[in-house]
Amino acid sequence: MTTNVQHLSKQQCLELTKVTSAILAKGKGIIAADDALDDIGRKLKNVGLENTVENRRKYRELLITADKEMALYVSGIILTPETLYQKTSNGVRFVDVLNQKGIIPGVNVDGGLVDLPFTEDVATQGLDNLHVRCAEYKKEGARFAKWRVAYKITETTPSMLSIQENAKILARYASICQANGLVPIVEPDVSIEGNHDLERCQKVYEVVLSHVYKALVDYKVYLEGTLLKTAFVTPGLSVLKSKTMAQIGAATISTLQRTVPAAVPGIVFLSGGLSETDATLCLNSVTKEAATRLTIDKRGSKCPWTLTFCYGRALQFTAWKVWDGKDKNVKEAQEEVIKRSKTNSLASLGKY
Ligand code: 13P
């Protein structure tokens, strides 16, 4: 085995870090608008609409055409491949609308979850032809990508096999993205569902993240040109209130400090089924905790990453309700998304 490997050129590295810096601009975060087909189908059904290409386009147009005030709080948006190629009802490419506002388009490139045989876990598919798709999405205007792997906590899961396998899958994905000029968002998502305690969640995340970063280094991923997307370290949803927000903030930061290299520029959190308010409170607590540790360690930063939101549901719950599938409600629904983005922008600064 040779260790004399070919890395990205300086120019390629610079291109990636320019994108990570723009995404991590102070007080800004990401909107995840890449619901899987059946997820958006459920949401459309709730507002009386069928799960058609046109109805999905309509909802996503609502997000993409919100007032430019959104760009004060939002630096990027994750689209599905379908949305990346779509246009507004006036015929303007979504990508152009976003670029004009200064919001960076990204794209979900994973192929969804499949059972991992002989375990109770899942793995994420979609590596076949990923390099071809990444090259096409880059040409179409995407500047970053997202790939989610998922774990659930039960007495017997996640298995070591799924932890090892998903870490390799994430690393392979990240290397393919970077080779094609896209910043990979690396998303190991430990589900909040369940009744596990905070300590168990922390242990699982420590093992998961340490495997992910070992794999990323093995696959020669340029860490400065990546972002980590993770859930908050919390007790399971059914016992969420057994710990305070301050305890959740402290556990989350400790877990990240133990496992995420300082070269990673930013960590963006998913909301994972938390309510809009809880997601904001968790982020606020995490950023406040990070600031405390900075003050304690006077020699330098122990918390080297920018921390912000990359929420799907927690930015859009109310907007879906307000929209209710009706054109007349679009403006009001857009205002709701901006309002939630602003609140989370404050939380990303520990000022909520
Ligand atoms: P939620 O914030 O709804 O969990 O979605 C974020 C996401 O993109 C998960 O992959």
Side-chain angles (χ1 to χ4, degrees):
M1 190 177 92
T2 177
T3 51
N4 182 13
V5 296
Q6 199 188 339
H7 290 286
L8 297 173
S9 69
K10 273 201 180 130
Q11 189 49 41
Q12 285 174 307
C13 290
L14 191 65
E15 194 189 339
L16 295 172
T17 50
K18 261 191 177 165
V19 174
T20 56
S21 301
I23 289 176
L24 298 172
K26 195 168 174 190
K28 297 191 188 187
I30 301 173
I31 296 185
D34 59 327
D35 303 68
L37 201 57
D38 46 347
D39 287 335
I40 192 154
R42 254 191 311 275
K43 291 172 186 171
L44 287 167
K45 193 170 170 207
N46 283 343
V47 297
L49 294 177
E50 267 182 67
N51 192 3
T52 60
V53 175
E54 175 53 14
N55 286 335
R56 293 194 290 275
R57 193 202 61 78
K58 262 189 162 180
Y59 175 69
R60 283 154 177 164
E61 175 169 20
L62 178 159
L63 294 175
I64 289 164
T65 60
D67 187 86
K68 61 180 183 320
E69 183 194 350
M70 183 187 267
L72 296 176
Y73 320 115
V74 172
S75 52
I77 182 164
I78 308 173
L79 308 172
T80 63
E82 175 182 278
T83 319
L84 184 69
Y85 291 89
Q86 285 175 328
K87 296 177 178 169
T88 64
S89 28
N90 301 333
V92 187
R93 292 168 74 235
F94 280 161
V95 168
D96 294 338
V97 177
L98 291 167
N99 283 332
Q100 217 167 28
K101 273 205 278 253
I103 296 179
I104 304 170
V107 62
N108 180 327
V109 299
D110 74 49
L113 307 172
V114 284
D115 287 342
L116 185 61
F118 314 122
T119 73
E120 299 162 72
D121 297 295
V122 289
T124 305
Q125 60 186 350
L127 287 173
D128 285 353
N129 287 330
L130 181 60
H131 61 294
V132 177
R133 293 191 290 121
C134 281
E136 280 171 9
Y137 300 153
K138 174 83 191 289
K139 230 190 280 164
E140 201 57 31
R143 291 293 168 263
F144 67 100
K146 173 191 131 175
W147 180 293
R148 171 175 172 262
V149 302
Y151 315 83
K152 61 177 185 294
I153 301 182
T154 66
E155 274 183 24
T156 50
T157 62
S159 61
M160 279 315 291
L161 180 62
S162 83
I163 289 173
Q164 288 162 354
E165 180 65 13
N166 281 310
K168 281 189 199 161
I169 289 171
L170 277 176
R172 186 87 201 289
Y173 140 78
S175 66
I176 293 170
C177 282
Q178 290 193 332
N180 286 284
L182 294 177
V183 166
I185 294 187
V186 171
E187 183 180 354
D189 174 7
V190 177
S191 172
I192 195 175
E193 297 293 334
N195 56 7
H196 49 272
D197 60 21
L198 180 68
E199 292 70 25
R200 179 86 206 285
C201 182
Q202 177 162 354
K203 232 337 127 215
V204 169
Y205 247 126
E206 284 176 8
V207 178
V208 163
L209 288 171
S210 56
H211 278 77
V212 166
Y213 282 102
K214 166 78 170 86
L216 289 181
V217 172
D218 286 346
Y219 281 71
K220 310 173 201 337
V221 173
Y222 173 60
L223 294 181
E224 290 84 343
T226 65
L227 296 171
L228 171 66
K229 177 163 174 174
T230 158
F232 298 104
V233 175
T234 67
L237 203 51
S238 61
V239 288
L240 184 67
K241 303 292 174 191
S242 62
K243 295 287 181 199
T244 62
M245 285 294 165
Q247 288 170 315
I248 288 171
T252 303
I253 293 296
S254 292
T255 305
L256 298 171
Q257 281 184 322
R258 289 174 185 173
T259 53
V260 183
V264 174
I267 300 168
V268 299
F269 292 94
L270 59 100
S271 60
L274 292 170
S275 68
E276 287 174 329
T277 307
D278 280 346
T280 304
L281 288 171
C282 277
L283 180 60
N284 196 58
S285 176
V286 163
T287 50
K288 270 172 93 166
E289 176 70 23
T292 316
R293 296 193 193 194
L294 271 182
T295 328
I296 291 167
D297 179 19
K298 296 224 166 54
R299 289 163 301 165
S301 165
K302 271 192 178 173
C303 262
W305 332 276
T306 299
L307 306 167
T308 189
F309 60 92
C310 181
Y311 293 162
R313 285 163 284 180
L315 288 173
Q316 297 168 59
F317 273 132
T318 309
W320 272 100
K321 271 196 216 139
V322 169
W323 178 45
D324 198 28
K326 299 187 177 65
D327 290 347
K328 68 177 172 57
N329 299 334
V330 165
K331 183 104 188 69
E332 208 186 323
Q334 288 174 326
E335 282 162 9
E336 280 302 327
V337 182
I338 293 175
K339 198 165 101 190
R340 291 307 321 163
S341 305
K342 184 175 181 180
T343 310
N344 286 298
S345 160
L346 286 172
S348 76
L349 303 169
K351 291 184 177 162
Y352 175 64

